[in-house]
Amino acid sequence: MNKEEDILLSKCIIWARNTYPQTYKCLFHIENERKCNPIQAGIRKAKGVVSGVPDICFVWNGNTYWAEFKSEKGTLTKKKKELHQLWS
């Protein structure tokens, strides 16, 4: 995720939480793009981090929705495309 996408994501989360405060704990970011060293990467993988997971998750009325944030120039990585295909 680049800086432009970070800003877009943050603005959307802030808007949703201010507009619909009842959804505060139902809408959250999946921090999956953090850079780390090989040891940290191994620990994260062992704890269940999956490459390609979308940026946010929204759980409401028993349904789960996922959203990926991209700037106008942003594109999906190969891993994201593969995971999205698997889920569909």
Side-chain angles (χ1 to χ4, degrees):
M1 185 175 279
N2 64 38
K3 187 175 181 179
E4 191 176 338
E5 291 167 356
D6 285 338
I7 292 169
L8 175 62
L9 173 62
S10 297
K11 286 182 176 182
C12 288
I13 293 286
I14 291 167
W15 172 84
R17 288 181 172 173
N18 287 335
T19 306
Y20 304 100
Q22 69 274 26
T23 67
Y24 186 85
K25 291 185 178 181
C26 299
L27 176 66
F28 50 92
H29 171 61
I30 310 296
E31 190 170 359
N32 203 26
E33 64 280 337
R34 185 173 41 178
K35 302 288 184 214
C36 54
N37 65 45
I39 293 171
Q40 292 168 326
I43 292 169
R44 293 179 74 217
K45 187 174 181 179
K47 290 171 34 179
V49 172
V50 175
S51 183
V53 171
D55 296 323
I56 64 168
C57 180
F58 179 58
V59 181
W60 191 253
N61 290 333
N63 295 303
T64 304
Y65 305 91
W66 299 91
E68 181 69 35
F69 283 76
K70 292 293 174 203
S71 66
E72 287 187 32
K73 296 178 183 177
T75 59
L76 290 177
T77 65
K78 180 181 177 184
K79 289 189 178 198
K80 285 192 181 292
K81 289 177 183 177
E82 289 171 353
L83 185 63
H84 296 183
Q85 179 67 33
L86 176 67
W87 284 1
S88 64

